[in-house]
Amino acid sequence: MTFSTLDAAVSFYKNYAKVGFDIRSSSIMKSKDGVILTKYILCSREGYRNVTASSTLNIDEASSSSTTKRRRVSNRTGCKARIVFKFIGSLGYVVKKFEERHNHYMSSILAKQFLKVNRNIEMGHQKFIANCALANIGPTKLFNLYKEIVGDFSNVGATNIDFKNFNRDIRAYIIGADGQMIVNNFFKKNEVCEAFYFTYDIDEDENLWKLFWADPISRKNFGRFGDVVSFDATYQTNRYDMVFTSFIGIDNHKKSITFAAGLLTKEDIASYVWLFEHFKKAMGAEPKVIVTDQDPSMRQAIPAVFNEARHRFCMWHIMCKVGEEVGSVLSKNEIFRKKLNSVVWSSYLEPLEFEN
C-alpha cells in the first residue's frame, strides 16, 4: 500500500489497531533536509521494560531515598508486530514491512474503550469541556455529564483522565493571559450595558493588581437596601494568591444580596482605600453602616473614604474570640455561655443595661 503523506499512513494503522491493541512510535530516519525517510510503528507490548537501578536497591538504600517511586506493572511481552513506512519520493510513503502476528491476546470488547487508539479528545469533546469550564464545572462532573449525553462510558471516546489532562492544558495555555481575558470580558459587558461598572489597576510588571466590579442589578439593589453593608475580605484564591472581597447586604426578604466585589493582591490601607473609593463612586452614595471584621487596615481606610457611614465590627468575629479572652475554663462553662449569648444577642437592652 502507498500513502500520499506520512500522517495518512499513521492514521490508517491507528484505525487498524482499533481491533484490539495499542501502538507506539519508534525510531525514524531522516534525510539531511529533514524529510522522514523511514518510520517504525510498533505494538505497545513490544520489548520488555528495563529494570532500573532504583528497583534493585536494598532496604537500607531505599529507606534513605527521599523520593518514592510507584511500582508499575509492565504489560510488555516482547511482541514483534509492527509496520514500517518508507519514503518513495513524489508518490509519498509505501509499506516497507508489515508484521501482523502478535504474541498476546487482543483486548476484550469491554477493554477496547481504554486503548489509546480509541481515546481521542476530538473537537466536540474540546468544545464541551471549554463550555463546562465557563460554567465552573470540574472535569470529573463534566465527564459524567458527557456520559449521560452519549448513553454509556464506552461511547464517550475518552477517559476521565483525558478530560482532566485537556482541562489542565487549557489552563496552562491561558496562564499568561487570564488577567487580560477578564479585563476584556468586563469591557465587553460595559459596551453592552453602560451601567456595568468596573475598574482595575496593574503593578510595575503589568500584572493585574486590583480589580473591582458591580453590575447594574447590584447597583440598583444598593439604592434599595444599601443602608447596611457587610464587607468581608476573608476569601483567598488558591492559585493567584489574591484576596476576594465582597460587599453584601440584606433585602426585604432577609436574603443576602451582593452589591459589588473585588480582588486585591495586598490587604493594606492603600488597597482598601482604592476599593472603597470606587465602591462609593459606583454606588453614588455611602452606606449608613458598614460592618467588617477587626482588621487594622480597614479601621483606617473606612473613615478616610466614608464620611457619614458608621463603622461597626462583626459580632460573629467578636464572639469567636470569647474563648481566647475569658480563658478555656470559663469558655467551656455552658451556663456562662448561655447568659452571655442572651445579653449579646438581645435587641431589647438599652446601652447602660447592656454594659451592666
Side-chain angles (χ1 to χ4, degrees), residues 56-80:
T56 60
L57 292 175
N58 57 39
I59 298 177
D60 295 333
E61 291 173 334
S63 60
S64 62
S65 178
S66 59
T67 59
T68 303
K69 291 187 176 181
R70 184 175 62 181
R71 180 174 295 179
R72 297 176 179 269
V73 179
S74 174
N75 64 350
R76 301 282 182 91
T77 61
C79 182
K80 299 296 184 180

Side-chain angles (χ1 to χ4, degrees), residues 5-283:
T5 63
L6 183 60
D7 290 338
V10 174
S11 177
F12 174 83
Y13 195 64
K14 279 186 177 180
N15 290 329
Y16 168 76
K18 291 181 179 179
V19 297
F21 66 95
D22 257 331
I23 62 174
R24 58 186 173 89
S25 296
S26 184
S27 58
I28 60 174
M29 294 177 61
K30 291 185 178 181
S31 63
K32 293 182 179 180
D33 54 355
V35 177
I36 297 177
L37 301 177
T38 308
K39 182 174 179 64
Y40 289 76
I41 300 179
L42 313 177
C43 173
S44 62
R45 294 193 177 189
E46 184 271 343
Y48 299 94
R49 186 175 295 277
N50 294 328
V51 180
T52 60
S54 60
S55 61
T56 60
L57 292 175
N58 57 39
I59 298 177
D60 295 333
E61 291 173 334
S63 60
S64 62
S65 178
S66 59
T67 59
T68 303
K69 291 187 176 181
R70 184 175 62 181
R71 180 174 295 179
R72 297 176 179 269
V73 179
S74 174
N75 64 350
R76 301 282 182 91
T77 61
C79 182
K80 299 296 184 180
R82 68 189 60 198
I83 192 170
V84 182
F85 298 107
K86 183 180 179 181
F87 182 66
I88 55 174
S90 60
L91 295 177
Y93 290 84
V94 66
V95 177
K96 179 182 178 181
K97 182 180 180 180
F98 173 57
E99 177 59 52
E100 183 179 6
R101 291 168 294 180
H102 295 261
N103 66 353
H104 54 86
Y105 290 109
M106 297 291 101
S107 298
S108 64
I109 296 177
L110 293 177
K112 283 183 181 180
Q113 59 181 306
F114 300 109
L115 295 175
K116 289 184 178 180
V117 293
N118 291 325
R119 288 158 41 198
N120 296 304
I121 299 293
E122 299 176 348
M123 187 59 67
H125 295 102
Q126 296 176 15
K127 181 67 174 176
F128 183 77
I129 295 172
N131 291 338
C132 288
L134 294 176
N136 202 26
I137 301 176
T140 301
K141 284 188 176 181
L142 69 88
F143 175 75
N144 294 328
L145 181 60
Y146 195 89
K147 185 269 295 185
E148 295 297 330
I149 295 175
V150 298
D152 190 69
F153 286 116
S154 60
N155 299 328
V156 174
T159 64
N160 188 14
I161 300 299
D162 296 326
F163 275 60
K164 289 182 178 179
N165 290 342
F166 184 76
N167 195 56
R168 175 206 60 200
D169 294 341
I170 292 178
R171 295 187 177 187
Y173 178 76
I174 67 172
I175 192 65
D178 44 2
Q180 187 63 49
M181 288 172 64
I182 189 173
V183 172
N184 292 342
N185 186 30
F186 282 174
F187 271 115
K188 291 179 181 179
K189 290 179 179 290
N190 182 258
E191 291 176 1
V192 175
C193 180
E194 294 183 355
F196 181 86
Y197 183 94
F198 83 98
T199 185
Y200 66 97
D201 193 10
I202 58 176
D203 58 12
E204 59 274 7
D205 297 324
E206 296 188 353
N207 295 318
L208 188 62
W209 194 26
K210 305 170 188 173
L211 181 65
F212 170 84
W213 70 94
D215 61 34
I217 297 177
S218 299
R219 299 173 70 183
K220 186 176 181 180
N221 284 335
F222 180 83
R224 299 287 189 270
F225 314 108
D227 294 343
V228 179
V229 174
S230 173
F231 177 74
D232 198 0
T234 58
Y235 299 98
Q236 195 167 14
T237 59
N238 58 357
R239 189 183 312 160
Y240 303 100
D241 201 28
M242 295 182 74
V243 179
F244 176 75
T245 61
S246 58
F247 295 84
I248 306 296
I250 303 294
D251 64 8
N252 56 319
H253 299 289
K254 296 185 178 181
K255 301 294 184 181
S256 297
I257 52 175
T258 302
F259 297 138
L263 288 170
L264 298 175
T265 304
K266 296 181 179 180
E267 292 185 88
D268 55 6
I269 299 174
S271 297
Y272 283 132
V273 168
W274 179 89
L275 190 70
F276 293 150
E277 285 179 344
H278 286 288
F279 175 79
K280 184 178 178 180
K281 182 179 179 181
M283 302 306 166

